[in-house]
Amino acid sequence: MKKHLLLILTLLILIPSVAILVVTGWGVVEHEKAMKNIAESYVLDLAQSVAVQVDRPRFMRRNLMISRSLESFALDISLPGWVALVDENGNLLAASSRAQDVLPQLWQGGIPVGRAILVKGPFGDNYTIAAIPTSQGWYVIAAVAWSQLLGPMVRFSHLWPVAVGLLAIAGVCAAWAFWRWLIMPLLSLESEVSSLKWGKDLPKKDDPVAVKEIRRLRKVLYQLAQTAREREELTQRYVSDLVRVQEEERTKLAREIHDGPLQDVTALLQRILLLKRENWSDKAKKYIEIAEESATEAVKELRGLCDSLSPPWLDLGLSQALTELTDRLERVYGVKIHIETSELPEVDTDTILAFFRITQEAINNAVKHGHADNVWIKLFYEGKSLILCIEDDGCGFDFEGDTEALRVKGHRGIANMIERMRLVGGSIDITTSRGKGTKVVCTVSLPFVGEEASSDAFDV
């Protein structure tokens, strides 16, 4: 019920007005019928009473004194209405004084005998008229004006529909105003809020059509959204600066390792090789070979560390960089990495670095935490989006999407992956559960690339 509360409130305002209008219309119709029945009954009774008077013997003895005879049995009675006496040809024989001006205009001939009908007067008034035959072959015509017979009832029947109609119109207008200035702005606000990406989008600042309270609510919502957006931008700048500093520190550390310990160990290895040329005892040669192996292994590890901190393959493009990375990690971790790449469009440096680090982090997690034996990597371009899919057959883990909880527990790997995708305007979807491995899908839109670059793609 709460879901449709606004619609219910609108109907509660609108239905009474419509009900009043319908009931009033029905009442007016019934009122008209009642007035018509009253007028018909009255006119018939009046005509019949006069016809009875005309049929009396004393009236029959006064054939040529009709007018005076009509006066004698009180045709000019004080009751509403007028009567007249006509012959079979429709000629007026006599009429009450109040009918002299009106009845000739109402009498058009052809009035049904024995029943009353409704006719319009010269000024648009309603009249009910009836014709009753007499024994002499004459006809008594009786008529009455509704305004004379019913008086206030006629005026009431005219004023009541107008008053109630105005009330019903006011109710409908109120319902329309309620819907137009309150319900519609609320629905619009609800639609905006439901689709609002908090921290990114801004709702409309104002709605001139809405009532004052909703306009204030929208203004407050706009201010909150603007604050969230500024906070998100500040967070983005902070994360961006943090990532940039991290990469700079990685590069600096790789350079210092390369120029310092790596050169020293390389020089030590050269001295050991020179030392091997001398004549030594078998025991001494054995120790020298061990030292050579240790120095060689140290050089390899230091170079691998430099490559990991500052990969030199990033300049070769995303596909080549990921291929080099997976080859080295496959040798280091002893895991089988299957990589598939399609023909890709030109990708900016930030996206290459983000995908590279995410792949590096995903493989490290799959091996160290998931104990995976196989990792599958697919990189392709579809539509206008660059998609990277990394899937392993490890043990997986429980993940409900709360990166902050993982960060607090010290698991910064996934949080860093998400932050890197946010920096390049992409999205990341992580699907995992215990015993079923982990799947990471990264998507970045490249709107500047033409449609023709998306021919080859793998299904994720």
Side-chain angles (χ1 to χ4, degrees), residues 262-284:
L262 179 59
Q263 298 300 325
D264 294 339
V265 176
T266 302
L268 176 61
L269 180 60
Q270 293 298 325
R271 292 189 182 96
I272 293 175
L273 292 177
L274 291 175
L275 188 62
K276 285 179 63 177
R277 296 179 182 179
E278 302 294 331
N279 292 323
W280 299 95
S281 63
D282 293 339
K283 188 175 181 180

PDB file of all heavy atoms in Angstrom, residues 262-284:
ATOM      1  N   LEU A 262      72.716  -4.241  -7.581  1.00  0.00           N
ATOM      2  CA  LEU A 262      72.842  -5.089  -8.763  1.00  0.00           C
ATOM      3  C   LEU A 262      74.208  -4.926  -9.397  1.00  0.00           C
ATOM      4  O   LEU A 262      74.841  -5.923  -9.804  1.00  0.00           O
ATOM      5  CB  LEU A 262      71.744  -4.730  -9.779  1.00  0.00           C
ATOM      6  CG  LEU A 262      71.769  -5.545 -11.086  1.00  0.00           C
ATOM      7  CD1 LEU A 262      71.625  -7.038 -10.783  1.00  0.00           C
ATOM      8  CD2 LEU A 262      70.654  -5.095 -12.009  1.00  0.00           C
ATOM      9  N   GLN A 263      74.702  -3.700  -9.467  1.00  0.00           N
ATOM     10  CA  GLN A 263      76.032  -3.486 -10.034  1.00  0.00           C
ATOM     11  C   GLN A 263      77.117  -4.086  -9.148  1.00  0.00           C
ATOM     12  O   GLN A 263      78.098  -4.676  -9.651  1.00  0.00           O
ATOM     13  CB  GLN A 263      76.282  -1.977 -10.215  1.00  0.00           C
ATOM     14  CG  GLN A 263      75.320  -1.305 -11.180  1.00  0.00           C
ATOM     15  CD  GLN A 263      75.399  -1.899 -12.575  1.00  0.00           C
ATOM     16  OE1 GLN A 263      76.479  -2.297 -13.052  1.00  0.00           O
ATOM     17  NE2 GLN A 263      74.237  -1.982 -13.233  1.00  0.00           N
ATOM     18  N   ASP A 264      76.906  -3.968  -7.836  1.00  0.00           N
ATOM     19  CA  ASP A 264      77.904  -4.547  -6.919  1.00  0.00           C
ATOM     20  C   ASP A 264      77.952  -6.059  -7.037  1.00  0.00           C
ATOM     21  O   ASP A 264      79.044  -6.660  -7.094  1.00  0.00           O
ATOM     22  CB  ASP A 264      77.567  -4.151  -5.474  1.00  0.00           C
ATOM     23  CG  ASP A 264      77.718  -2.650  -5.250  1.00  0.00           C
ATOM     24  OD1 ASP A 264      78.441  -2.002  -6.047  1.00  0.00           O
ATOM     25  OD2 ASP A 264      77.092  -2.136  -4.291  1.00  0.00           O
ATOM     26  N   VAL A 265      76.795  -6.687  -7.079  1.00  0.00           N
ATOM     27  CA  VAL A 265      76.756  -8.147  -7.197  1.00  0.00           C
ATOM     28  C   VAL A 265      77.288  -8.576  -8.562  1.00  0.00           C
ATOM     29  O   VAL A 265      77.976  -9.599  -8.676  1.00  0.00           O
ATOM     30  CB  VAL A 265      75.330  -8.671  -6.970  1.00  0.00           C
ATOM     31  CG1 VAL A 265      75.261 -10.181  -7.187  1.00  0.00           C
ATOM     32  CG2 VAL A 265      74.857  -8.347  -5.570  1.00  0.00           C
ATOM     33  N   THR A 266      77.010  -7.799  -9.610  1.00  0.00           N
ATOM     34  CA  THR A 266      77.535  -8.121 -10.939  1.00  0.00           C
ATOM     35  C   THR A 266      79.057  -8.031 -10.935  1.00  0.00           C
ATOM     36  O   THR A 266      79.760  -8.886 -11.519  1.00  0.00           O
ATOM     37  CB  THR A 266      76.945  -7.157 -11.986  1.00  0.00           C
ATOM     38  OG1 THR A 266      75.521  -7.250 -11.968  1.00  0.00           O
ATOM     39  CG2 THR A 266      77.446  -7.514 -13.373  1.00  0.00           C
ATOM     40  N   ALA A 267      79.578  -6.967 -10.286  1.00  0.00           N
ATOM     41  CA  ALA A 267      81.045  -6.834 -10.182  1.00  0.00           C
ATOM     42  C   ALA A 267      81.636  -7.995  -9.394  1.00  0.00           C
ATOM     43  O   ALA A 267      82.705  -8.532  -9.744  1.00  0.00           O
ATOM     44  CB  ALA A 267      81.392  -5.501  -9.517  1.00  0.00           C
ATOM     45  N   LEU A 268      80.947  -8.397  -8.318  1.00  0.00           N
ATOM     46  CA  LEU A 268      81.413  -9.542  -7.532  1.00  0.00           C
ATOM     47  C   LEU A 268      81.418 -10.804  -8.375  1.00  0.00           C
ATOM     48  O   LEU A 268      82.364 -11.620  -8.294  1.00  0.00           O
ATOM     49  CB  LEU A 268      80.493  -9.706  -6.319  1.00  0.00           C
ATOM     50  CG  LEU A 268      80.775 -10.915  -5.423  1.00  0.00           C
ATOM     51  CD1 LEU A 268      82.192 -10.833  -4.826  1.00  0.00           C
ATOM     52  CD2 LEU A 268      79.736 -11.027  -4.318  1.00  0.00           C
ATOM     53  N   LEU A 269      80.405 -10.974  -9.216  1.00  0.00           N
ATOM     54  CA  LEU A 269      80.351 -12.146 -10.083  1.00  0.00           C
ATOM     55  C   LEU A 269      81.500 -12.138 -11.070  1.00  0.00           C
ATOM     56  O   LEU A 269      82.104 -13.192 -11.351  1.00  0.00           O
ATOM     57  CB  LEU A 269      79.002 -12.176 -10.819  1.00  0.00           C
ATOM     58  CG  LEU A 269      78.784 -13.347 -11.781  1.00  0.00           C
ATOM     59  CD1 LEU A 269      78.858 -14.680 -11.036  1.00  0.00           C
ATOM     60  CD2 LEU A 269      77.441 -13.227 -12.484  1.00  0.00           C
ATOM     61  N   GLN A 270      81.852 -10.969 -11.606  1.00  0.00           N
ATOM     62  CA  GLN A 270      82.973 -10.870 -12.531  1.00  0.00           C
ATOM     63  C   GLN A 270      84.284 -11.245 -11.844  1.00  0.00           C
ATOM     64  O   GLN A 270      85.149 -11.942 -12.419  1.00  0.00           O
ATOM     65  CB  GLN A 270      83.065  -9.445 -13.100  1.00  0.00           C
ATOM     66  CG  GLN A 270      81.893  -9.065 -13.994  1.00  0.00           C
ATOM     67  CD  GLN A 270      81.807  -9.943 -15.223  1.00  0.00           C
ATOM     68  OE1 GLN A 270      82.836 -10.381 -15.797  1.00  0.00           O
ATOM     69  NE2 GLN A 270      80.566 -10.222 -15.636  1.00  0.00           N
ATOM     70  N   ARG A 271      84.455 -10.802 -10.595  1.00  0.00           N
ATOM     71  CA  ARG A 271      85.677 -11.146  -9.858  1.00  0.00           C
ATOM     72  C   ARG A 271      85.743 -12.652  -9.598  1.00  0.00           C
ATOM     73  O   ARG A 271      86.831 -13.265  -9.649  1.00  0.00           O
ATOM     74  CB  ARG A 271      85.714 -10.382  -8.534  1.00  0.00           C
ATOM     75  CG  ARG A 271      85.895  -8.872  -8.725  1.00  0.00           C
ATOM     76  CD  ARG A 271      86.144  -8.182  -7.374  1.00  0.00           C
ATOM     77  NE  ARG A 271      86.265  -6.753  -7.551  1.00  0.00           N
ATOM     78  CZ  ARG A 271      85.273  -5.884  -7.391  1.00  0.00           C
ATOM     79  NH1 ARG A 271      84.042  -6.353  -7.071  1.00  0.00           N
ATOM     80  NH2 ARG A 271      85.474  -4.587  -7.564  1.00  0.00           N
ATOM     81  N   ILE A 272      84.594 -13.223  -9.298  1.00  0.00           N
ATOM     82  CA  ILE A 272      84.564 -14.672  -9.072  1.00  0.00           C
ATOM     83  C   ILE A 272      84.948 -15.409 -10.353  1.00  0.00           C
ATOM     84  O   ILE A 272      85.705 -16.404 -10.312  1.00  0.00           O
ATOM     85  CB  ILE A 272      83.181 -15.107  -8.569  1.00  0.00           C
ATOM     86  CG1 ILE A 272      82.927 -14.547  -7.170  1.00  0.00           C
ATOM     87  CG2 ILE A 272      83.056 -16.627  -8.558  1.00  0.00           C
ATOM     88  CD1 ILE A 272      81.521 -14.823  -6.637  1.00  0.00           C
ATOM     89  N   LEU A 273      84.456 -14.931 -11.490  1.00  0.00           N
ATOM     90  CA  LEU A 273      84.806 -15.567 -12.776  1.00  0.00           C
ATOM     91  C   LEU A 273      86.291 -15.432 -13.055  1.00  0.00           C
ATOM     92  O   LEU A 273      86.931 -16.362 -13.589  1.00  0.00           O
ATOM     93  CB  LEU A 273      83.982 -14.928 -13.900  1.00  0.00           C
ATOM     94  CG  LEU A 273      82.467 -15.208 -13.866  1.00  0.00           C
ATOM     95  CD1 LEU A 273      81.763 -14.441 -14.989  1.00  0.00           C
ATOM     96  CD2 LEU A 273      82.195 -16.704 -14.001  1.00  0.00           C
ATOM     97  N   LEU A 274      86.870 -14.277 -12.734  1.00  0.00           N
ATOM     98  CA  LEU A 274      88.312 -14.107 -12.897  1.00  0.00           C
ATOM     99  C   LEU A 274      89.090 -15.014 -11.941  1.00  0.00           C
ATOM    100  O   LEU A 274      90.152 -15.561 -12.275  1.00  0.00           O
ATOM    101  CB  LEU A 274      88.705 -12.635 -12.654  1.00  0.00           C
ATOM    102  CG  LEU A 274      88.219 -11.642 -13.715  1.00  0.00           C
ATOM    103  CD1 LEU A 274      88.554 -10.212 -13.295  1.00  0.00           C
ATOM    104  CD2 LEU A 274      88.856 -11.949 -15.085  1.00  0.00           C
ATOM    105  N   LEU A 275      88.506 -15.146 -10.732  1.00  0.00           N
ATOM    106  CA  LEU A 275      89.171 -15.979  -9.735  1.00  0.00           C
ATOM    107  C   LEU A 275      89.186 -17.449 -10.151  1.00  0.00           C
ATOM    108  O   LEU A 275      90.119 -18.199  -9.812  1.00  0.00           O
ATOM    109  CB  LEU A 275      88.440 -15.811  -8.388  1.00  0.00           C
ATOM    110  CG  LEU A 275      89.089 -16.452  -7.171  1.00  0.00           C
ATOM    111  CD1 LEU A 275      90.477 -15.835  -6.906  1.00  0.00           C
ATOM    112  CD2 LEU A 275      88.215 -16.274  -5.943  1.00  0.00           C
ATOM    113  N   LYS A 276      88.192 -17.876 -10.908  1.00  0.00           N
ATOM    114  CA  LYS A 276      88.127 -19.275 -11.342  1.00  0.00           C
ATOM    115  C   LYS A 276      89.263 -19.644 -12.283  1.00  0.00           C
ATOM    116  O   LYS A 276      89.583 -20.822 -12.445  1.00  0.00           O
ATOM    117  CB  LYS A 276      86.784 -19.542 -12.034  1.00  0.00           C
ATOM    118  CG  LYS A 276      85.609 -19.646 -11.103  1.00  0.00           C
ATOM    119  CD  LYS A 276      84.313 -19.889 -11.865  1.00  0.00           C
ATOM    120  CE  LYS A 276      84.363 -21.226 -12.595  1.00  0.00           C
ATOM    121  NZ  LYS A 276      83.094 -21.517 -13.284  1.00  0.00           N
ATOM    122  N   ARG A 277      89.854 -18.646 -12.941  1.00  0.00           N
ATOM    123  CA  ARG A 277      90.926 -18.932 -13.890  1.00  0.00           C
ATOM    124  C   ARG A 277      92.234 -19.344 -13.211  1.00  0.00           C
ATOM    125  O   ARG A 277      93.134 -19.899 -13.857  1.00  0.00           O
ATOM    126  CB  ARG A 277      91.173 -17.692 -14.755  1.00  0.00           C
ATOM    127  CG  ARG A 277      89.971 -17.321 -15.625  1.00  0.00           C
ATOM    128  CD  ARG A 277      90.266 -16.075 -16.426  1.00  0.00           C
ATOM    129  NE  ARG A 277      89.098 -15.687 -17.235  1.00  0.00           N
ATOM    130  CZ  ARG A 277      89.073 -14.601 -18.024  1.00  0.00           C
ATOM    131  NH1 ARG A 277      90.163 -13.820 -18.115  1.00  0.00           N
ATOM    132  NH2 ARG A 277      87.991 -14.338 -18.701  1.00  0.00           N
ATOM    133  N   GLU A 278      92.353 -19.010 -11.935  1.00  0.00           N
ATOM    134  CA  GLU A 278      93.566 -19.370 -11.212  1.00  0.00           C
ATOM    135  C   GLU A 278      93.547 -20.876 -10.877  1.00  0.00           C
ATOM    136  O   GLU A 278      92.498 -21.519 -10.897  1.00  0.00           O
ATOM    137  CB  GLU A 278      93.668 -18.540  -9.922  1.00  0.00           C
ATOM    138  CG  GLU A 278      93.670 -17.040 -10.161  1.00  0.00           C
ATOM    139  CD  GLU A 278      94.914 -16.579 -10.914  1.00  0.00           C
ATOM    140  OE1 GLU A 278      95.963 -17.236 -10.779  1.00  0.00           O
ATOM    141  OE2 GLU A 278      94.814 -15.553 -11.625  1.00  0.00           O
ATOM    142  N   ASN A 279      94.733 -21.358 -10.564  1.00  0.00           N
ATOM    143  CA  ASN A 279      94.852 -22.767 -10.184  1.00  0.00           C
ATOM    144  C   ASN A 279      94.547 -22.915  -8.704  1.00  0.00           C
ATOM    145  O   ASN A 279      95.280 -22.393  -7.843  1.00  0.00           O
ATOM    146  CB  ASN A 279      96.271 -23.290 -10.474  1.00  0.00           C
ATOM    147  CG  ASN A 279      96.536 -23.350 -11.972  1.00  0.00           C
ATOM    148  OD1 ASN A 279      95.642 -23.667 -12.749  1.00  0.00           O
ATOM    149  ND2 ASN A 279      97.775 -23.066 -12.365  1.00  0.00           N
ATOM    150  N   TRP A 280      93.466 -23.599  -8.407  1.00  0.00           N
ATOM    151  CA  TRP A 280      93.039 -23.803  -7.020  1.00  0.00           C
ATOM    152  C   TRP A 280      92.851 -25.306  -6.788  1.00  0.00           C
ATOM    153  O   TRP A 280      92.692 -26.087  -7.717  1.00  0.00           O
ATOM    154  CB  TRP A 280      91.715 -23.095  -6.739  1.00  0.00           C
ATOM    155  CG  TRP A 280      91.777 -21.590  -6.941  1.00  0.00           C
ATOM    156  CD1 TRP A 280      91.430 -20.908  -8.038  1.00  0.00           C
ATOM    157  CD2 TRP A 280      92.227 -20.654  -6.005  1.00  0.00           C
ATOM    158  NE1 TRP A 280      91.620 -19.576  -7.879  1.00  0.00           N
ATOM    159  CE2 TRP A 280      92.122 -19.375  -6.597  1.00  0.00           C
ATOM    160  CE3 TRP A 280      92.752 -20.726  -4.680  1.00  0.00           C
ATOM    161  CZ2 TRP A 280      92.486 -18.210  -5.957  1.00  0.00           C
ATOM    162  CZ3 TRP A 280      93.105 -19.568  -4.041  1.00  0.00           C
ATOM    163  CH2 TRP A 280      92.969 -18.306  -4.672  1.00  0.00           C
ATOM    164  N   SER A 281      92.840 -25.582  -5.564  1.00  0.00           N
ATOM    165  CA  SER A 281      92.573 -26.973  -5.202  1.00  0.00           C
ATOM    166  C   SER A 281      91.107 -27.287  -5.482  1.00  0.00           C
ATOM    167  O   SER A 281      90.286 -26.390  -5.672  1.00  0.00           O
ATOM    168  CB  SER A 281      92.896 -27.201  -3.707  1.00  0.00           C
ATOM    169  OG  SER A 281      92.029 -26.404  -2.912  1.00  0.00           O
ATOM    170  N   ASP A 282      90.823 -28.589  -5.536  1.00  0.00           N
ATOM    171  CA  ASP A 282      89.439 -28.998  -5.837  1.00  0.00           C
ATOM    172  C   ASP A 282      88.449 -28.441  -4.814  1.00  0.00           C
ATOM    173  O   ASP A 282      87.328 -28.033  -5.143  1.00  0.00           O
ATOM    174  CB  ASP A 282      89.348 -30.524  -5.863  1.00  0.00           C
ATOM    175  CG  ASP A 282      90.131 -31.102  -7.040  1.00  0.00           C
ATOM    176  OD1 ASP A 282      90.364 -30.335  -8.000  1.00  0.00           O
ATOM    177  OD2 ASP A 282      90.448 -32.290  -6.984  1.00  0.00           O
ATOM    178  N   LYS A 283      88.882 -28.434  -3.537  1.00  0.00           N
ATOM    179  CA  LYS A 283      87.988 -27.914  -2.502  1.00  0.00           C
ATOM    180  C   LYS A 283      87.737 -26.432  -2.676  1.00  0.00           C
ATOM    181  O   LYS A 283      86.597 -25.947  -2.552  1.00  0.00           O
ATOM    182  CB  LYS A 283      88.620 -28.197  -1.143  1.00  0.00           C
ATOM    183  CG  LYS A 283      87.702 -27.867   0.008  1.00  0.00           C
ATOM    184  CD  LYS A 283      88.333 -28.288   1.338  1.00  0.00           C
ATOM    185  CE  LYS A 283      87.383 -27.978   2.504  1.00  0.00           C
ATOM    186  NZ  LYS A 283      87.970 -28.380   3.806  1.00  0.00           N
ATOM    187  N   ALA A 284      88.781 -25.710  -3.029  1.00  0.00           N
ATOM    188  CA  ALA A 284      88.632 -24.253  -3.225  1.00  0.00           C
ATOM    189  C   ALA A 284      87.775 -23.973  -4.452  1.00  0.00           C
ATOM    190  O   ALA A 284      86.939 -23.049  -4.454  1.00  0.00           O
ATOM    191  CB  ALA A 284      90.002 -23.610  -3.365  1.00  0.00           C
TER     192      ALA A 284
END
